[in-house]
Amino acid sequence: MIERRLAEVEGQRRAVRAKRSRAVGQRTIAGEMERFGLIGAWIIVVIVLGAVVPDAFLSWLNFSTIFSSQAVLVVLTLGLLITLTAGDFDLSVASTLTLSAMTLTVLNAQHGWGVIPSVAVALGCGVLIGAINGAIVLFFRIHSLIVTLGVGTFINGIILWISDSQTIAGVSFDLVSWVIVNRFPPGGGISLTFYYAVFLCLAIWYCFEYTTIGRRLLFVGRGREVARLSGIRVDRVRLGSFVVGSTIAAGAGVLYAGMTGSADPTSGLSLLLPAFAAAFLGATSIVPGRFNPWGSFIGVYFLVTGITGLTMLGVNTLVQNLFYGGGLVVAVTLSQLVRKRQPQSIS
Amino acid sequence: MKFGKQLAALISVAAFAVALGTAGGAKADAMADAEALIKSHQTLPDFKAPGPAFDAKACMKDKKILEIPLTMANPFNAEIAKAMAAAAAEVGFEFKNWDNQLKVDQWVQGMAAAIAGGYNLIDLQGGIPPAALGPQIDEARGKGLKVTTTHLYDVTQDIPPNLDGSARMNYTRAGQLMAAWAFTKTGGKPNVVIIGSDEIVPTAPFVKSIQDTLKGYCPDCKQQHVNVPVTEWATKIQTSVQSALVADPSINFILPIYDSMSQFIVPALRITNRLGEVKIATYNGTPFVLDMVRTGEVDMDVGESLGWIGYAGIDVNMRILCDIKPAVTTLNTPLYIFDKSNIKTAGEPATFHDGYGDSHLKGFRKLWGLK
């Protein structure tokens, strides 16, 4: 019943979109420009930087390095996307990442646990945090922004406690190998961590586009009351989004520990704003107006490509910040211009 | 033909002599100087009195010190605070550590508590910039309290006029050691990336020391400086190092001036397949980085005993309160090089205190007339 109703609504929306496209041919071009604008901007950045520093920038080593190094941010952003799509904010994702990395490291490096049980407990932390966030938000009817801010700060205290405020090294080399040392193709390829991020992107994209649960999530994010009246168990979907989002963030923590071979109590927290930036930047492309995994994926790599090139040119770190922040604002602004400044309704 | 052979031999000999003399752009005596400097910091630290002996127990009677660390969430500050408290307990005067979490309002509360509590001296320990507490420092000094810093300024930096004293650290020497290490380990041909955080007070002289030392050893050697603010270490260090390595494959040493940066450099070396080939030399002696020296991920770490810093900081503060002349403005804490040859002495896992010996305890007790 619900599925049929969802299919009907989606069908109506597609029909309206198609009608509009037929009516105004230029809108189709504009729409395509909007969808692929970020990819175009990415290509332009590559061409410009490739022309300025051709030997270094256009080398395979450079691109394999770029792809290998940003998987943690991609996975964290994907975790964030789940709750954002359901219409909630999760400000505790970076804390979840850090707690996961620290838990894994403490268990593995200090208590001699194996990699698999340590990873399982680390992911379990994500499940627990998501359940706590969701339960408080839904039971007490408090805005997710407030709850996740508080829970995130609480987690930060736990991280300091379990780590004794220290950075801990000595994560098993097995994990490090399965994150960044092993490559595909073997030898000079890209680290496996990149492919984990790609598979997760594929999975979330498939879920959003072709599964009932993905459609329900989208509908809940678009309008809770409408979704409720359509028979969707909104609270259950939102609770699930918190749990899945936090678990993915904990997975990002596992990759983080594998990437650095260590865990420290604070550094992972600085990934929160870049993850939000990537999520919002991603919402301007591929499926404009909607948080989507491929848009975010491209957003992350667009930004890091620019920053890598600027670093090669020897520019000051402050210019990197200008590019990062400016890139986000310009992309969103251009997207709005293409949409003829329609009011934003991202979910 | 014979003349041609002679000419060729002459040219060859001259070229060989030039090569020997320059060693890739390096001065002939530079290598000996660098090796001597390194060697002087590879022997177990010995205590050298920072100033004349004095009766600490007598002059500190009825005096109180309140110390505000940068943050107690950083083990570096926490361990120094513990050592300061231990030193104060040995002398027998009241000492209070103002626990905080890197918040300016908490530092301000600490300053107010010191004034209200009748303390005689406030010590800003391990990184609090006095500029952030200007009005509070003026108020405290106006009410007769002394205000000092411990382990903030480099020995080449002037102590600001609104402070009564400062226990400065020899970051300049740490920079010289890092430069010397890169120079010797590359056979006089270093090509380095220096990573610093410009917003930290002693970073400028620290980085300058590395740059000047390298220029002195080999004016033609390549070096570049990357500034990464502390809040962006996790997101910028790795990408910066990766980009530098891709842009210039001849880079052979990374010199992060604070050793906790190393955790973000190692992944960059792994991703670019340069781990083991490109070395890391750094400063601080933080335990997890010493563990990375053991595993070979970090080549060298210039360590400093935090227990020693705590005792030396108390020594400087007591001299200010007791008006002992000449004033001491530098921590007498030695710098000690950890590499694979002596890393076992740092403990397994490494600690903040192992490896340095405890000559400072006996030395300070004797200096203060305790035993």
Side-chain angles (χ1 to χ4, degrees), chain A residues 77-122:
Chain A
T77 306
L78 293 176
L80 198 57
L81 280 192
I82 305 289
T83 40
L84 285 172
T85 302
D88 285 305
F89 284 89
D90 187 353
L91 295 182
S92 67
V93 282
S95 302
T96 305
L97 175 151
T98 310
L99 179 67
S100 163
M102 186 57 77
T103 304
L104 189 159
T105 307
V106 167
L107 293 176
N108 180 245
Q110 291 194 328
H111 296 282
W113 286 35
V115 171
I116 292 172
S118 302
V119 169
V121 174

Side-chain angles (χ1 to χ4, degrees), chain A residues 38-48 302:
Chain A
L38 191 57
I39 296 176
W42 190 12
I43 292 168
I44 290 169
V45 166
V46 170
I47 290 170
V48 170
F302 163 72

Side-chain angles (χ1 to χ4, degrees), chain B residues 24-358:
Chain B
K27 293 174 185 169
D29 56 350
M31 188 61 75
D33 289 349
E35 284 171 349
L37 179 65
I38 291 167
K39 198 174 178 187
S40 67
H41 289 79
Q42 286 181 314
T43 52
L44 204 60
D46 197 17
F47 182 83
K48 289 191 180 73
F54 63 104
D55 186 349
K57 204 176 265 292
C59 83
M60 286 303 289
K61 193 181 171 190
D62 302 328
K63 290 194 173 66
K64 302 197 291 185
I65 292 178
L66 185 140
E67 165 259 356
I68 308 175
L70 179 72
T71 167
M72 285 299 279
N74 182 352
F76 174 82
N77 297 99
E79 292 295 326
I80 293 176
K82 271 189 216 167
M84 290 179 115
E90 285 206 48
V91 177
F93 67 89
E94 189 177 333
F95 174 87
K96 184 172 179 58
N97 170 55
W98 191 260
D99 204 325
N100 74 86
Q101 299 280 320
L102 195 59
K103 292 190 175 114
V104 176
D105 59 319
Q106 292 176 323
W107 300 341
V108 171
Q109 286 167 4
M111 298 290 290
I115 296 168
Y119 284 84
N120 303 95
L121 184 144
I122 302 169
D123 183 37
L124 307 176
Q125 184 253 105
I128 297 177
L133 295 170
Q136 290 75 24
I137 291 173
D138 291 344
E139 185 187 354
R141 295 185 77 209
K143 295 193 173 167
L145 281 78
K146 308 276 188 192
V147 180
T148 64
T149 65
T150 292
H151 206 289
L152 173 66
Y153 296 107
D154 176 57
V155 290
T156 61
Q157 289 175 301
D158 293 331
I159 300 169
N162 67 338
L163 292 178
D164 295 285
S166 179
R168 297 176 299 174
M169 185 64 202
N170 201 342
Y171 293 100
T172 292
R173 176 51 58 89
Q176 290 165 349
L177 285 169
M178 288 164 61
W181 189 268
F183 182 72
T184 58
K185 297 298 169 184
T186 55
K189 296 174 183 174
N191 179 356
V192 308
V193 178
I194 305 162
I195 304 175
S197 297
D198 289 354
E199 78 278 19
I200 299 177
V201 174
T203 292
F206 196 160
V207 170
K208 187 172 185 301
S209 167
I210 299 173
Q211 292 171 327
D212 290 350
T213 307
L214 282 172
K215 273 182 205 158
Y217 288 149
C218 53
D220 301 331
C221 292
K222 288 167 80 176
Q223 52 171 290
Q224 55 180 297
H225 169 221
V226 177
N227 169 40
V228 183
V230 176
T231 52
E232 296 178 347
W233 283 9
T235 52
K236 295 271 170 66
I237 289 179
Q238 189 180 330
T239 50
S240 297
V241 173
Q242 286 169 184
S243 305
L245 290 172
V246 170
D248 183 358
S250 66
I251 288 168
N252 50 26
F253 250 95
I254 311 291
L255 304 178
I257 64 169
Y258 305 114
D259 65 4
S260 294
M261 293 171 161
S262 305
Q263 64 182 309
F264 308 110
I265 297 169
V266 171
L269 298 182
R270 280 209 175 97
I271 283 176
T272 52
N273 270 331
R274 305 293 299 280
L275 188 64
E277 190 184 327
V278 177
K279 309 282 187 187
I280 300 171
T282 185
Y283 155 78
N284 264 156
T286 306
F288 87 92
V289 184
L290 294 177
D291 288 333
M292 294 168 89
V293 172
R294 186 183 310 103
T295 57
E297 292 163 307
V298 172
D299 198 44
M300 185 277 279
D301 198 355
V302 180
E304 52 185 351
S305 162
L306 301 191
W308 195 316
I309 292 170
Y311 271 71
I314 286 292
D315 179 78
V316 170
N317 285 328
M318 288 195 302
R319 287 173 191 277
I320 290 167
L321 281 178
C322 300
D323 200 23
I324 308 285
K325 302 289 181 192
V328 174
T329 57
T330 303
L331 292 165
N332 73 337
T333 317
L335 297 168
Y336 184 52
I337 289 175
F338 284 103
D339 66 354
K340 62 187 173 190
S341 68
N342 65 346
I343 195 62
K344 280 184 183 169
T345 64
E348 191 172 348
T351 71
F352 279 111
H353 306 289
D354 288 335
Y356 302 97
D358 59 358

Side-chain angles (χ1 to χ4, degrees), chain A residues 68-83:
Chain A
S68 298
S69 63
Q70 296 300 313
V72 172
L73 181 56
V74 171
V75 173
L76 184 68
T77 306
L78 293 176
L80 198 57
L81 280 192
I82 305 289
T83 40

Side-chain angles (χ1 to χ4, degrees), chain A residues 26-338:
Chain A
Q26 284 182 327
R27 288 291 291 276
T28 307
I29 296 167
E32 294 307 299
M33 275 176 62
E34 188 183 11
R35 283 187 70 193
F36 299 107
L38 191 57
I39 296 176
W42 190 12
I43 292 168
I44 290 169
V45 166
V46 170
I47 290 170
V48 170
L49 290 170
V52 180
V53 270
D55 293 341
F57 190 81
L58 294 179
S59 66
W60 168 244
L61 175 63
N62 183 39
F63 286 103
S64 73
T65 300
I66 287 174
F67 286 124
S68 298
S69 63
Q70 296 300 313
V72 172
L73 181 56
V74 171
V75 173
L76 184 68
T77 306
L78 293 176
L80 198 57
L81 280 192
I82 305 289
T83 40
L84 285 172
T85 302
D88 285 305
F89 284 89
D90 187 353
L91 295 182
S92 67
V93 282
S95 302
T96 305
L97 175 151
T98 310
L99 179 67
S100 163
M102 186 57 77
T103 304
L104 189 159
T105 307
V106 167
L107 293 176
N108 180 245
Q110 291 194 328
H111 296 282
W113 286 35
V115 171
I116 292 172
S118 302
V119 169
V121 174
L123 294 177
C125 289
V127 174
L128 183 66
I129 293 165
I132 291 170
N133 276 334
I136 297 174
V137 167
L138 297 170
F139 185 79
F140 295 103
R141 302 287 165 199
I142 306 171
H143 198 287
S144 55
L145 207 66
I146 303 163
V147 173
T148 55
L149 182 65
V151 168
T153 309
F154 185 84
I155 295 168
N156 296 347
I158 292 177
I159 295 164
L160 289 174
W161 173 49
I162 64 171
S163 65
D164 197 19
S165 303
Q166 297 206 32
T167 300
I168 300 166
V171 170
S172 166
F173 193 70
D174 289 343
L175 181 65
V176 176
S177 298
W178 282 101
V179 174
I180 58 168
V181 175
N182 295 341
R183 290 158 189 269
F184 183 80
I190 303 170
S191 297
L192 293 185
T193 184
F194 170 73
Y195 299 101
Y196 303 148
V198 171
F199 287 139
L200 190 61
C201 259
L202 267 171
I204 292 175
W205 166 76
Y206 182 83
C207 176
F208 280 5
E209 293 294 322
Y210 297 107
T211 68
T212 308
I213 187 67
R215 286 308 193 194
R216 285 180 182 171
L217 197 67
L218 189 61
F219 272 71
V220 167
R222 289 278 170 171
R224 282 179 196 148
E225 281 313 305
V226 175
R228 200 186 313 275
L229 292 171
S230 303
I232 296 174
R233 292 178 176 174
V234 172
D235 284 358
R236 187 181 285 188
V237 171
R238 289 177 70 195
L239 179 64
S241 76
F242 276 113
V243 172
V244 173
S246 285
T247 307
I248 293 174
V254 172
L255 294 182
Y256 188 85
M259 173 83 80
T260 61
S262 62
D264 79 298
T266 53
S267 295
L269 306 178
S270 61
L271 293 171
L272 181 64
L273 290 181
F276 268 99
F280 281 100
L281 187 55
T284 65
S285 69
I286 309 300
V287 190
R290 190 193 298 174
F291 293 108
N292 67 91
W294 292 117
S296 296
F297 183 88
I298 292 162
V300 167
Y301 285 107
F302 163 72
L303 291 172
V304 77
T305 303
I307 286 171
T308 300
L310 292 173
T311 309
M312 283 180 179
L313 290 171
V315 300
N316 197 303
T317 311
L318 68 92
V319 181
Q320 297 182 23
N321 286 346
L322 297 180
F323 179 82
Y324 212 101
L328 175 66
V329 174
V330 169
V332 175
T333 306
L334 287 177
S335 169
Q336 273 299 89
L337 284 176
V338 172

